[in-house]
Amino acid sequence: HKNNSAYSYQMYAIIHSDCQQHAPVLEKFGYKTLIKDTPVKLEEIKGQWYRDHVEAENCCGSAEFIKLYAYTLTEHPVVVHWDMDVAILKPLDD
């Protein structure tokens, strides 16, 4: 996609399957969307305290684990992960 950066890059939006209806909006802004289910099931969490409390953590509970999919983007030499509460307003190489 077009940018003012000296470097090429691809923006991805890793979207939980429960929110996939929002993918078209992000695609209009140049994101390649990846629709994913939660990669870790609650019953797979070994620590009982965390397993019992994870759904009350953060905004999205265990759905927050979808950010782990950033580690699967191995076709790129560098991957930088930001949550959606971060806004990048200009190229980082300025």
Side-chain angles (χ1 to χ4, degrees):
H1 87 275
K2 291 183 179 180
N3 62 63
N4 294 324
S5 174
Y7 304 97
S8 65
Y9 62 89
Q10 173 65 55
M11 297 185 304
Y12 291 88
I14 304 171
I15 302 171
H16 194 275
S17 58
D18 290 344
C19 300
Q20 64 185 349
Q21 70 272 18
H22 301 293
V25 173
L26 294 166
E27 289 165 355
K28 286 181 185 178
F29 287 99
Y31 286 88
K32 180 176 180 180
T33 55
L34 306 174
I35 309 301
K36 301 290 186 178
D37 288 321
T38 306
V40 179
K41 295 182 173 101
L42 284 177
E43 59 271 11
E44 294 174 342
I45 298 173
K46 294 182 180 180
Q48 177 152 353
W49 184 91
Y50 190 62
R51 184 175 55 245
D52 292 343
H53 292 88
V54 68
E55 294 304 335
E57 296 292 322
N58 304 312
C59 71
C60 306
S62 63
E64 289 274 342
F65 295 150
I66 65 164
K67 63 182 72 178
L68 296 172
Y69 286 110
Y71 292 100
T72 68
L73 300 172
T74 58
E75 66 271 23
H76 302 289
V78 174
V79 173
V80 177
H81 170 266
W82 278 302
D83 284 331
M84 287 301 293
D85 58 353
V86 174
I88 306 302
L89 303 176
K90 63 181 186 172
L92 297 174
D93 54 349
D94 279 354

